[in-house]
Amino acid sequence: MKTIFKFIGLFFKGIWKLITFIRLALVNLIFVATLAIIYFAFTQKDVQPVAPVQQSALVLNLSGPIVEQRRYVSPMDSLTGSVFGQELPKENVLFDIVDTIRHAKDDDNITGIVLALRDLPETNLTKLRYVAKAINEFKSSGKPVYAVGAFYNQSQYYLASYADKVYLAPDGAVLIKGYSAYNLYYKTLLEKLEVNTHVFRVGSYKSAIEPFVRDDMSDEAKETASRWLGQLWGAYVEDVSTNRQISPSVLNPSMDEFLAQLESANGDVAQLSKNLGLVDQLATRQEIRKELIEQFGSDGDDSYQAVSYYDYRMNVQPNIDVTADDIAVVIASGAIMDGTQPRGTVGGDTTAALLRQARNDDKVKAVVVRVDSPGGSAFASEVIRNEIVALREAGKPVVISMSSLAASGGYWISMSADKIIAQPTTLTGSIGIFSVITTFEKGLNNIGVYTDGIGTSPFSGVGITTGLTEGASQAFQMGIEHGYNRFVNLVADSRGIALSDMESIAEGRVWTGQDAMKVGLVDQMGDFDDAVNIAAELAQLESYNLYWVEEPLSPAQQFFQDMMNQVKVHVGIDINAYLPPALQPISKQMAQDLSLLETFNDPKGHYAFCLNCEVQ
């Protein structure tokens, strides 16, 4: 008994030490951040646009993910992220990239583009295609595009394939692995932890909850995932093979074919890439610089005349016609959550307020809603949809521009628009609803903790420590079935689809944009530019401004964001770094799954969410 008490004492003593350490670390970080604020407030001058003093190449050196909308990261988020070793990379807004390339096309000071994409992470094909469209427009001016790199991941190589010439380091590689959809599954773990998982759902294909109730992917989930993965990969292969003028089979070898090809290149992956036509030249950095100097001129310091994307971006200013009307653009990017939420998620109240702002603005004649969301709270989705209906009733047409993903709740907020525009590689549909409730009564009982008491109604004793009664489970299931029927009926009414046809369309099935158009969920194929043009046509506008409706940052928030973009605080407590490299991807995936659960805040516990829509 004394040993047990000693162990308990050491346990709580350790916890207290950890809390004390974190508390002191945060205080120190806040102190450092305060000093940084004071420093930048007094030393930073107003930043002026940086124009190339002479003709230069635009270096597209994108670092960090490509996003629909830049998030605001609070100072405390930045500090706690640093404490736990989380990276806070730059975020590159998709529309900024495209606008910058288009501006460079007509800029006489820009003589070409160099794609230096080493720090660009894997990116969804739909976003890459929009950037590629701008690169092709740039090439139409007659200016050259070069790609340089030591190693190309799949996304980097996709953009590189649009270059006139692709360089690869002699010891480098092109790393193309195809698309996949893999998840971690926790059923056995939860059983060993004595956690009871109660699942309520409708739809054979609604696979969002499978990681918590299975140890593998269901046949239904594999069936639907196989179809859209194949279509996405087919689009990638077609684009790259066309750009490089190679056979699509080059990008689709069997393992035996690949090994034979690699053997013929004596195991030299870089040489194999050149043999297959993936790259044009194997060259060292010195050799590449020499060739680019010949093309763009010398900077006098052993390199070519160049300007960074991040410097040049400051030159790009929108052309505003003060006499023209506006087409409002509202971004709905991230998981859909109830209430007011920060950027990076789609708050039901937050997004509805932006749509209402556009509805009450007399200068706004049409609205484009850019959707990039796997869904989330069914209640919040309906709040947003109601505002879209109100916009239409006010005589302002609404066009949905689907980005990479507009599934489940992402489709819920889209279905009542005047027009829905998607890309062939968009993932949408996933019409279904589920609820997951975890209770811990069994695990608590096993360690000698019990719950007992009395209540005034059959639901008074229902909770995470007491479990669910049979009656409560039936009530939850009936609620989910009602929500699903409402979802299906709304889609049928909004899209003019016979209710009898919805059975083959709904039940959680995921569709690519091109398949969604065939079944009536989408009106036509097109990108953001097409959506804007359609909105202008519906509003009968010959000239217009794009008005990006965003919740403005306060001066303090803007200052902190600018400061955090320049200051990085590292405490050296990277939990993931202490794990073996082989376990780090698993740790990252588990952290993502836990953060996903944090977005589930629907007041009724009803969720329209597509988990298996994440592509790897």
Side-chain angles (χ1 to χ4, degrees):
M1 182 63 70
K2 186 179 295 184
T3 303
I4 293 175
F5 282 116
K6 183 177 180 181
F7 173 79
I8 293 173
L10 290 172
F11 177 76
F12 283 105
K13 185 177 180 180
I15 290 178
W16 178 250
K17 284 185 176 180
L18 178 61
I19 293 173
T20 301
F21 174 80
I22 293 174
R23 178 171 54 83
L24 291 174
L26 288 175
V27 169
N28 289 334
L29 285 171
I30 292 171
F31 175 73
V32 171
T34 303
L35 291 179
I37 292 170
I38 296 172
Y39 171 80
F40 282 107
F42 284 98
T43 61
Q44 290 293 96
K45 298 179 180 179
D46 292 337
V47 179
Q48 299 297 327
V50 179
V53 294
Q54 52 188 328
Q55 293 188 328
S56 303
L58 172 61
V59 180
L60 204 64
N61 53 338
L62 301 177
S63 175
I66 298 176
V67 298
E68 299 287 331
Q69 181 184 50
R70 187 174 288 107
R71 295 176 299 166
Y72 165 66
V73 180
S74 71
M76 187 54 66
D77 289 338
S78 299
L79 294 174
T80 54
S82 296
V83 167
F84 292 104
Q86 298 176 4
E87 297 180 1
L88 298 172
K90 291 180 181 178
E91 291 182 327
N92 304 285
V93 178
L94 175 63
F95 308 104
D96 289 349
I97 298 171
V98 170
D99 288 347
T100 301
I101 295 173
R102 287 173 172 169
H103 185 271
K105 170 180 174 288
D106 299 318
D107 186 345
D108 292 337
N109 279 329
I110 297 299
T111 54
I113 285 180
V114 175
L115 301 174
L117 305 170
R118 181 184 64 181
D119 296 321
L120 176 69
E122 292 290 4
T123 304
N124 190 281
L125 183 58
T126 304
K127 294 184 176 67
L128 293 175
R129 277 185 151 186
Y130 193 45
V131 176
K133 176 184 177 180
I135 293 175
N136 269 341
E137 291 172 1
F138 181 90
K139 290 170 64 177
S140 70
S141 67
K143 301 176 184 180
V145 176
Y146 297 91
V148 299
F151 295 89
Y152 295 95
N153 69 26
Q154 190 161 282
S155 297
Q156 294 165 3
Y157 183 72
Y158 179 84
L159 292 181
S161 74
Y162 284 82
D164 297 291
K165 189 171 185 179
V166 180
Y167 292 97
L168 178 68
D171 295 315
V174 177
L175 307 173
I176 299 177
K177 64 175 185 176
Y179 290 131
S180 62
Y182 283 90
N183 297 306
L184 295 179
Y185 292 84
Y186 303 104
K187 177 178 180 288
T188 299
L189 172 64
L190 294 174
E191 289 176 349
K192 289 182 177 180
L193 295 175
E194 302 286 3
V195 175
N196 291 337
T197 306
H198 308 271
V199 173
F200 310 95
R201 66 171 175 173
V202 180
S204 301
Y205 295 83
K206 197 61 189 173
S207 56
I209 44 75
E210 286 189 355
F212 305 103
V213 296
R214 296 179 60 96
D215 287 325
D216 57 3
M217 183 182 286
S218 68
D219 291 339
E220 292 83 1
K222 287 181 179 179
E223 174 192 335
T224 187
S226 177
R227 180 173 177 80
W228 58 257
L229 281 170
Q231 291 186 20
L232 261 62
W233 180 236
Y236 182 100
V237 169
E238 180 180 0
D239 289 349
V240 170
S241 61
T242 299
N243 293 338
R244 296 296 304 167
Q245 298 183 347
I246 58 178
S247 169
S249 61
V250 170
L251 299 168
N252 276 315
S254 67
M255 181 57 74
D256 289 341
E257 290 171 337
F258 173 75
L259 292 175
Q261 293 166 349
L262 186 58
E263 184 179 9
S264 68
N266 297 318
D268 188 337
V269 179
Q271 186 60 50
L272 175 60
S273 298
K274 186 174 186 301
N275 294 345
L276 295 176
L278 299 178
V279 302
D280 296 295
Q281 183 177 339
L282 303 182
T284 64
R285 295 179 181 181
Q286 293 77 13
E287 292 169 338
I288 293 173
R289 281 198 295 267
K290 182 178 179 181
E291 293 199 14
L292 293 180
I293 288 172
E294 293 177 1
Q295 176 66 45
F296 299 115
S298 173
D299 69 347
D301 191 23
D302 191 33
S303 191
Y304 58 98
Q305 286 289 349
V307 58
S308 162
Y309 164 80
Y310 296 102
D311 289 334
Y312 185 73
R313 170 65 198 159
M314 290 185 287
N315 285 315
V316 182
Q317 301 296 329
N319 295 320
I320 302 297
D321 182 353
V322 295
T323 64
D325 290 315
D326 291 340
I327 293 178
V329 181
V330 175
I331 304 293
S333 178
I336 300 174
M337 300 176 66
D338 185 42
T340 301
Q341 301 296 337
R343 297 180 189 177
T345 55
V346 183
D349 292 348
T350 306
T351 306
L354 297 178
L355 293 168
R356 185 167 61 253
Q357 180 181 331
R359 174 161 55 89
N360 294 329
D361 189 336
D362 292 336
K363 199 172 182 182
V364 171
K365 303 303 180 184
V367 177
V368 173
V369 182
R370 177 71 168 182
V371 180
D372 190 27
S373 173
S377 166
F379 179 82
S381 299
E382 178 64 2
V383 169
I384 296 170
R385 189 191 72 86
N386 290 338
E387 273 300 331
I388 289 176
V389 172
L391 271 163
R392 295 185 63 188
E393 291 174 347
K396 299 186 178 184
V398 180
V399 177
I400 299 295
S401 171
M402 290 183 169
S403 181
S404 310
L405 185 59
S408 282
Y411 190 78
W412 191 314
I413 68 177
S414 303
M415 59 182 160
S416 297
D418 291 275
K419 293 287 184 181
I420 299 178
I421 313 301
Q423 287 277 276
T425 51
T426 297
L427 297 183
T428 188
S430 189
I431 298 167
I433 289 182
F434 69 90
S435 180
V436 178
I437 300 174
T438 53
T439 60
F440 305 88
E441 69 279 6
K442 187 185 296 185
L444 291 172
N445 293 348
N446 285 342
I447 61 173
V449 178
Y450 296 86
T451 301
D452 193 17
I454 190 169
T456 59
S457 78
F459 289 94
S460 297
V462 173
I464 62 172
T465 63
T466 55
L468 298 183
T469 64
E470 181 63 27
S473 296
Q474 292 179 12
F476 276 115
Q477 182 61 35
M478 284 190 284
I480 291 296
E481 290 174 1
H482 169 76
Y484 174 76
N485 289 331
R486 174 167 167 72
F487 194 173
V488 168
N489 278 275
L490 283 171
V491 174
D493 292 341
S494 300
R495 299 296 305 166
I497 301 173
L499 196 58
S500 58
D501 293 334
M502 287 302 300
E503 182 179 352
S504 62
I505 295 173
E507 291 198 346
R509 290 177 179 84
V510 178
W511 305 93
T512 60
Q514 59 186 1
D515 283 348
M517 188 171 71
K518 294 176 183 177
V519 299
L521 296 179
V522 167
D523 290 299
Q524 69 180 68
M525 295 294 95
D527 55 24
F528 177 75
D529 302 333
D530 297 313
V532 171
N533 291 335
I534 291 170
E537 291 175 6
L538 292 174
Q540 298 181 342
L541 298 176
E542 293 186 2
S543 61
Y544 54 85
N545 299 310
L546 285 186
Y547 167 41
W548 298 81
V549 189
E550 296 179 327
E551 191 173 13
L553 299 180
S554 69
Q557 289 175 329
Q558 186 65 57
F559 184 82
F560 271 112
Q561 179 161 287
D562 293 341
M563 186 271 290
M564 286 300 175
N565 284 337
Q566 302 176 63
V567 179
K568 288 188 177 180
V569 184
H570 296 282
V571 181
I573 310 174
D574 186 349
I575 295 174
N576 207 46
Y578 290 96
L579 295 174
L583 294 180
Q584 290 179 12
I586 300 175
S587 171
K588 183 178 180 181
Q589 181 62 54
M590 293 181 71
Q592 290 175 349
D593 291 344
L594 288 173
S595 65
L596 168 64
L597 294 176
E598 293 176 359
T599 68
F600 287 176
N601 73 336
D602 186 273
K604 292 200 301 182
H606 293 185
Y607 301 100
F609 191 92
C610 184
L611 178 62
N612 281 333
C613 291
E614 296 297 327
V615 183
Q616 300 173 0

